Amino acid sequence: MDVQLKRGLLDVCVLAAIKNEDSYGYQIIKDMKPYLALSESTLYTILKRLETANMLTVRTAEHGGRLRKYYRITDAGKRRIEEFKSDWKEILAIYRFVTKEDADE
């Protein structure tokens, strides 16, 4: 898969994982596990990129005597999810065109 396409897909998946409530790294990985495998190093790279792009904010809170970072989606992050949904319709149309010959066989 194209690296840029995969990066964009993973970014949107992480945003979707925190769309309804704040979350933290381990929980995000756990929530995404039924759909895709994501390593901690990959996740934290994505979270940092999304924070830099102002698509999420980060707060630190104590939990069990340790500090934990919680991530919250911003309006820009929500807009990115909506853009993705719109883009996905076009991607599906392209996919159907590309695989049309396979269906005809």
Side-chain angles (χ1 to χ4, degrees), residues 7-90:
R7 176 183 290 176
L9 291 172
L10 291 176
D11 287 1
V12 172
C13 288
V14 170
L15 290 170
I18 63 172
K19 179 176 68 172
N20 296 323
E21 64 182 332
D22 296 0
S23 194
Y24 54 96
Y26 177 74
Q27 186 63 49
I28 294 169
I29 289 173
K30 191 173 158 185
D31 290 343
M32 293 176 67
K33 192 171 187 165
Y35 307 99
L36 60 105
L38 192 64
S39 70
E40 285 185 39
S41 61
T42 300
L43 174 64
Y44 288 108
T45 300
I46 293 167
L47 290 169
K48 188 64 179 166
R49 182 170 54 245
L50 293 171
E51 180 185 8
T52 300
N54 297 315
M55 292 190 196
L56 58 80
T57 58
V58 183
R59 69 177 168 84
T60 304
E62 188 174 330
H63 179 80
R66 299 174 66 178
L67 291 179
R68 179 184 281 174
K69 287 184 177 182
Y70 287 88
Y71 300 89
R72 172 178 288 189
I73 193 168
T74 63
D75 288 340
K78 291 174 185 174
R79 281 192 303 275
R80 178 62 194 112
I81 290 173
E82 292 308 310
E83 290 168 5
F84 170 80
K85 289 177 185 178
S86 177
D87 292 344
W88 193 248
K89 292 174 188 172
E90 185 177 349

Side-chain angles (χ1 to χ4, degrees), residues 5 87-101:
L5 178 59
D87 292 344
W88 193 248
K89 292 174 188 172
E90 185 177 349
I91 292 168
L92 286 175
I94 293 167
Y95 175 81
R96 284 191 292 274
F97 175 75
V98 169
T99 59
K100 182 176 68 128
E101 294 172 2

